[in-house]
RNA sequence: GGACGCGUAGCUCAAUUGGCAGAGCAUUCGACUCUUAAUCGACAGGUUGCAGGUUCGAUUCCUGCCGCGUCCA
């Protein structure tokens, strides 16, 4: 194939065309237009109107389809994700140009001049007068109907994925007529549950709009534009802070390490910009935001990529309640700018980004507790480790020997699934109880707080589909947040969840340097116990606080995840142009 | 890190207890001056992810490895 097309390229050159021309400059009486421009202007024009005007145009694009018809033929050009048909007649373009047309392959770039008309089937088409070769596709395009379906190939060769512009959420092929499938939804109580599930999936797929690869990234750009518009209008200034940091702070995560040769020092790719942005607030930038990459040396999943894009913003003289209001405004604003509506479809569910709920973490746990799994926890059960363990033992009594040696986790979680539908929940609770019974495996002071946070993640997180703000977090998992005045074990922090996962994290910033130093020291103790994600000491940050950080609210929002929600893409890899994959050996392209 | 699943022609997919590895699209050649998943005819295209094992015989069964996906941690 490759060699054949190289040979064709030589033949094209023999026709007087340049193999790799530098540009396409049509004559002045045929202005160069983009396909989207032409479609926007002439899609509504009738064949008679076009014939009367005989609109001369020049267009360039990639050939996505060719239909030869003897001494004439059609081709479909694509540019900026849109398509336009061209019609090439031997008697209109001449022998040489028609010979060129016959040498064209799918994927080639060409430029044409001609005039617009409508075919017998009323399709807007360019009647070609001249044909200019622009670039060759030496490799074969994917199958024209199904496109690139292999997920791995789509990520590895995103350039192909993008111009094929396939659908991310193809609906299941229907066995009957489309009308029949839609009407086939009446729930029959006698039908097996399997069939009911299949029916509801079909229904959901019918409701959710198709997601095209290219559109996802166009929308992603719109998300960024909308966010800048939102913050710029509110007097925030956009800043850039170090991506390479001597201390990777501002979050609990494992960093990537790199090395600066001239200075001979190790540096970390940042896990968050937080501590630098707050230094800027100390410096008198009362409202700052940054949109940039963070790097976390952790697992990869449908919600995690090692590098991801984060918005962080800080506002002096604001607290976490102010940020809750701002968050709801921001997400609604972005949704309206990007989609023109606050309604979105994610994972088969309709979500309204204009309707928010606010719950404390301690409210959310009983709220989303499934009563069939046992009695829900009461507020008193969160008062101490002993009380929490007593509740767990009522809900998920130990029915198996436990052992704090390495390997006990798999033994515990390896309980064969029985008739209990809450096996996973109970196993998770028993694992939590096991940790609580061996504080030396975790730690002392923060044990209760960490356990309640774990409980929240186990019980509530996956159920937070509609936009929900969860506020008041345990101090133990919040080393940079300000305490609640009336409950010093809890901090003024919230996270918001949509679609069953976390999108943002915000709090009233801790600005007492002495308290901050103690928090860092407590984190260091965690680190010594083996928690590699515990925060490191940042003495310069403590010094900055020593100069006085005003009362400040700060927040981080995951741009990739927000883009997932706004586009309906179910994997973070579908909203990142080049997600990280293991490198693969490839051939030289020749066959 | 664990469990499960997938890997067959450039692409999308078949292949019966384990019995000659096939189709469509793309490519090549031919026909066709309004087609649009164009149509019609012909040709060609393969180390079935890699390495072993069982077997007279392996795409199929087994083991290991590689890559990807989903779920869990």
């Amino acid at each position: 194939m490759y060699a054949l097309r190289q040979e064709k390229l030589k033949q094209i050159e023999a026709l007087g065309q340049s193999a790799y021309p530098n540009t396409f400059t049509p004559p002045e009486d045929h202005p160069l237009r983009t396909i989207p421009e032409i479609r926007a202007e002439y899609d509504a024009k009738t064949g008679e109107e076009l014939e009367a005007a005989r609109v001369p145009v020049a267009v360039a694009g990639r050939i996505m389809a060719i239909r030869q018809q003897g001494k004439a033929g059609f081709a479909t050009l694509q540019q900026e994700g849109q398509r336009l048909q061209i019609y090439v007649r031997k008697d209109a373009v001449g022998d040489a140009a028609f010979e060129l047309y016959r040498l064209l392959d799918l994927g080639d770039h060409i430029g044409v001049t001609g005039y617009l008309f409508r075919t017998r089937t009323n399709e807007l088409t360019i009647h070609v007068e001249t044909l200019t070769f622009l670039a060759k596709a030496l490799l074969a395009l994917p199958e024209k109907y199904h496109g690139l379906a292999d997920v791995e190939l789509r990520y590895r060769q995103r350039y192909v994925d993008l111009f094929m512009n396939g659908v991310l959420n193809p609906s299941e092929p229907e066995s009957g007529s489309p009308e029949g499938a839609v009407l086939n939804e009446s729930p029959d109580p006698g039908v097996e549950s399997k069939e009911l599930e299949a029916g509801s999936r079909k229904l959901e797929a019918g409701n959710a709009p198709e997601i095209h690869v290219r559109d996802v990234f166009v929308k992603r750009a719109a998300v960024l534009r909308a966010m800048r518009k939102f913050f710029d209008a509110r007097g925030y200034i956009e800043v850039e802070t170090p991506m390479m940091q001597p201390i990777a702070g501002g979050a609990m995560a494992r960093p990537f390490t790199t090395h600066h040769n001239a200075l001979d020092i190790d540096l970390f790719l940042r896990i968050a910009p937080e501590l630098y942005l707050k230094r800027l607030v100390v410096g008198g930038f009362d409202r700052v935001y940054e949109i940039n990459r963070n790097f976390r040396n952790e697992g990869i999943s449908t919600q995690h990529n090692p590098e991801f894009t984060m918005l962080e913003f800080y506002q002096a003289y604001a607290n976490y309640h102010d940020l809750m209001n701002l968050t709801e405004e921001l997400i609604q604003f972005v949704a309206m700018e990007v989609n023109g509506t606050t309604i979105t479809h994610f994972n088969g569910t309709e979500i309204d980004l204009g309707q928010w709920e606010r719950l404390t973490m301690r409210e959310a746990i009983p709220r989303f507790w499934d009563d069939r799994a046992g009695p829900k926890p009461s507020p008193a059960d969160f008062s101490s480790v002993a009380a929490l363990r007593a509740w767990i033992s009522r809900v998920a009594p130990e029915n198996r020997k436990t052992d704090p040696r390495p390997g006990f986790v798999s033994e515990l979680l390896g309980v064969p699934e029985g008739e209990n539908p809450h096996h996973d929940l109970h196993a998770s609770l028993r694992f939590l109880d096991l940790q609580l019974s061996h504080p030396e495996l975790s730690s002392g002071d923060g044990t209760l707080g960490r356990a309640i946070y774990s409980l929240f993640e186990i019980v509530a997180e996956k159920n937070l589909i509609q936009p929900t703000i969860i506020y008041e977090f345990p101090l133990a998992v919040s080393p940079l947040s300000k305490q609640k005045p009336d409950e010093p074990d809890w901090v003024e922090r919230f996270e918001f969840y949509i679609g069953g996962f976390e999108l943002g994290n915000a709090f009233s910033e801790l600005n007492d340097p002495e308290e901050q130093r103690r928090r860092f020291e407590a984190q260091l103790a965690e680190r010594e116990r083996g928690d590699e994600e515990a925060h490191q000491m940042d003495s310069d940050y403590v010094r900055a606080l020593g100069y006085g950080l005003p009362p400040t609210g700060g927040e981080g929002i995951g741009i990739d995840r927000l883009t997932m929600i706004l586009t309906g893409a179910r994997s973070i890899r579908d909203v990142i142009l080049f997600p990280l994959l293991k490198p693969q050996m490839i051939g030289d392209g020749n066959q």
Side-chain angles (χ1 to χ4, degrees), chain A residues 500-564:
Chain A
F501 52 80
E502 176 201 343
L503 269 87
N505 176 27
F507 37 90
S508 303
E509 304 297 337
L510 174 61
N511 59 347
D512 173 346
E514 289 309 312
E515 172 66 12
Q516 184 66 72
R517 187 187 302 280
R518 284 192 293 274
R519 301 268 190 99
F520 279 154
E521 280 163 358
Q523 288 289 311
L524 288 181
E526 286 297 308
R527 185 168 278 269
E528 279 165 18
R529 283 193 191 87
D531 182 357
E532 293 182 56
E533 295 188 0
H535 208 290
Q536 297 176 64
M537 170 64 73
D538 189 335
S539 301
D540 179 71
Y541 176 65
V542 174
R543 176 168 63 190
L545 293 184
Y547 283 99
L549 173 70
T552 298
E555 177 164 349
I557 296 177
I559 300 295
D560 313 275
R561 290 181 179 184
L562 179 59
T563 305
M564 289 167 65

Side-chain angles (χ1 to χ4, degrees), chain A residues 230-259:
Chain A
F230 183 88
F231 286 106
D232 292 346
R234 284 165 177 73
Y236 286 74
I237 67 159
E238 183 171 4
V239 296
E240 294 170 279
T241 62
M243 313 281 276
M244 296 192 294
Q245 305 177 346
I247 296 167
M252 318 255 271
R254 294 169 66 166
F256 287 92
T257 308
T258 186
H259 187 80

Side-chain angles (χ1 to χ4, degrees), chain A residues 172 185 187-188 191-205:
Chain A
E172 296 290 320
E185 73 193 58
D188 177 352
V191 184
E192 282 180 54
S193 61
K194 250 184 185 174
E195 289 185 38
L196 273 178
E197 278 172 30
S200 64
R201 266 203 306 277
K202 219 175 264 179
L203 197 62
E204 285 160 5

Side-chain angles (χ1 to χ4, degrees), chain A residues 356-463:
Chain A
W356 290 69
E357 184 165 17
R358 298 183 187 182
L359 294 168
T360 67
M361 181 176 289
R362 283 169 288 183
E363 289 168 349
I365 294 168
R367 168 73 173 275
F368 291 99
W369 178 259
D370 186 337
D371 287 325
R372 291 171 300 179
K376 66 178 56 171
S378 67
D381 296 326
F382 298 142
S383 62
S384 70
V385 170
L388 191 62
R389 291 194 63 196
W391 170 74
I392 292 175
S393 67
R394 287 200 300 279
V395 171
E398 289 186 30
N399 55 5
R400 155 171 295 252
K401 255 174 54 179
T402 54
D403 187 338
R405 291 171 305 184
F408 68 96
V409 175
S410 57
E411 184 190 335
L412 189 71
L413 296 180
V415 178
E417 283 190 75
E419 66 286 352
N420 185 349
H422 303 287
H423 163 79
D424 290 343
L425 179 58
H426 285 165
S428 300
L429 289 178
R430 286 201 296 273
F431 178 46
L432 181 58
D433 187 53
L434 193 59
Q435 289 178 306
L436 290 172
S437 69
H438 296 281
E440 73 275 10
L441 289 174
S442 51
S443 80
D445 290 353
T447 303
L448 178 64
R450 270 189 295 276
I452 293 172
Y453 183 61
S454 296
L455 195 56
F456 163 75
E457 290 183 319
I458 293 166
V459 173
E461 179 170 8
K462 63 180 178 301
N463 296 307

Side-chain angles (χ1 to χ4, degrees), chain A residues 118-193:
Chain A
R118 284 193 182 272
T119 63
R120 210 173 279 160
T121 52
N122 207 36
E123 175 156 349
L124 184 67
T125 303
I126 295 178
H127 196 289
V128 174
E129 293 167 330
T130 71
L131 202 58
T132 307
F133 181 78
L134 297 179
K136 191 105 196 115
L138 295 169
L139 295 169
L141 264 50
E143 207 249 0
K144 64 184 170 188
Y145 186 62
H146 297 92
L148 206 55
D150 184 279
V151 175
E152 181 180 355
L153 264 185
R154 291 192 23 233
Y155 296 151
R156 287 195 192 280
Q157 301 186 41
R158 182 70 89 183
Y159 36 89
V160 177
D161 189 31
L162 283 169
F163 70 68
M164 293 307 291
N165 197 19
V167 176
L168 295 184
N169 56 341
S171 50
E172 296 290 320
E174 307 284 356
S175 49
S177 69
E179 292 85 356
V182 173
L183 293 174
N184 190 19
E185 73 193 58
S186 60
D188 177 352
V191 184
E192 282 180 54
S193 61

